[in-house]
Amino acid sequence: MKKFIAIVGTNAKKSTNRTLLQYMKKRYAASAEIEIVEVAGLPLFKKTKEMLVPQYAKEIAQKIDVADGVIIGTPEYDHSIPAILSSALAWLSYGMHPLLDKPVMITGASYGALGASRAQAQLRQILDSPEIKARIMPSSEFLLGNSLKAFDEDGNLNDQEQSEQLDGLFKDFLLFTDISNQLNHANVTNEKEMNNFSWDEGSSRREEEK
């Protein structure tokens, strides 16, 4: 059985993105073990000379390292992802690279009608950056709009079509993780590039030596 880490991309105490990930954990329990991880509690990202990383960020990184894939649920604030999620991803690419070539599925729930579509697009760009290089499942956006009305009292999705769409995407993600394991021929090279990356200069040491 596959093991996935599901990251709640907000520090809000009540979040429909958390509810969505909890729904996925329950609905797909027969196919995968999904552990929900909160970014709440992480400090805002700040570079230091010693490259100090919060212990909690290290713990999240360790969970991601041993997982088969990652699911990220993001809300949308002013057409972007929350600052706490951006900060968490910065910590997870600061002297460590748990998301390198890691399969990632993105979901998003919002109170509006668009279902965090712009935030998901921004998140894809961040995850594809040279400092992170995650492997995001293509054409896989799950956009849950009007999310305050989307769940019943038991935390299940009210709309059958939305449930079926999510079912299909999750099956694709299971397959995507298998395919990703066969696409790691460049992993060693990618790791070397990551190790050569310099946060101080924003470039690789290799480039600095030219």
Side-chain angles (χ1 to χ4, degrees):
M1 180 178 291
K2 288 184 170 57
K3 170 68 180 294
F4 297 139
I5 298 299
I7 297 176
V8 182
T10 176
N11 56 1
K13 292 182 179 179
K14 292 184 178 180
S15 168
T16 51
N17 281 279
R18 183 183 294 107
T19 303
L20 176 59
L21 294 177
Q22 290 170 339
Y23 169 74
M24 293 177 67
K25 176 178 181 176
K26 177 174 60 176
R27 187 172 181 86
Y28 306 125
S31 302
E33 179 186 348
I34 299 177
E35 179 181 354
I36 296 177
V37 172
E38 303 281 348
V39 295
L42 279 174
L44 290 178
F45 177 75
K46 182 180 180 181
K47 290 197 299 181
T48 63
K49 291 182 179 179
E50 301 82 6
M51 292 190 72
L52 297 176
V53 178
Q55 180 59 35
Y56 185 43
K58 293 179 182 179
E59 292 172 2
I60 295 176
Q62 290 171 355
K63 291 177 183 292
I64 293 173
D65 272 332
V66 298
D68 295 296
V70 175
I71 304 167
I72 302 178
T74 180
E76 182 171 307
Y77 299 157
D78 300 327
H79 292 182
S80 63
I81 65 173
I84 187 65
L85 178 55
S86 178
S87 184
L89 293 173
W91 283 124
L92 293 173
S93 59
Y94 190 52
M96 55 184 181
H97 313 289
L99 288 165
L100 174 64
D101 294 329
K102 185 71 65 172
V104 176
M105 175 182 179
I106 299 174
T107 65
S110 74
Y111 297 168
L114 297 179
S117 59
R118 295 180 180 88
Q120 289 198 35
Q122 183 193 40
L123 181 55
R124 283 179 176 273
Q125 289 183 317
I126 294 172
L127 291 170
D128 196 41
S129 66
E131 299 90 339
I132 298 179
K133 283 189 177 179
R135 187 169 286 147
I136 312 105
M137 186 168 73
S139 304
S140 61
E141 291 181 336
F142 182 72
L143 307 172
L144 184 62
N146 302 310
S147 59
L148 283 175
K149 301 178 181 179
F151 299 94
D152 63 21
E153 293 180 354
D154 296 321
N156 299 314
L157 283 173
N158 290 316
D159 191 302
Q160 182 63 28
E161 288 186 4
Q162 287 181 326
S163 294
E164 291 175 357
Q165 180 190 14
L166 186 59
D167 289 347
L169 289 173
F170 190 76
K171 288 180 181 178
D172 286 346
F173 188 54
L174 291 172
L175 179 60
F176 181 68
T177 57
D178 289 334
I179 295 173
S180 292
N181 288 331
Q182 303 175 41
L183 299 176
N184 279 334
H185 296 91
N187 183 261
V188 174
T189 302
N190 289 337
E191 286 183 350
K192 288 181 179 178
E193 289 182 357
M194 287 290 192
N195 291 332
N196 285 330
F197 182 83
S198 170
W199 271 84
D200 291 332
E201 299 297 333
S203 61
S204 70
R205 297 191 187 101
R206 184 183 305 164
E207 289 172 343
E208 291 169 355
E209 291 170 356
K210 288 182 178 178

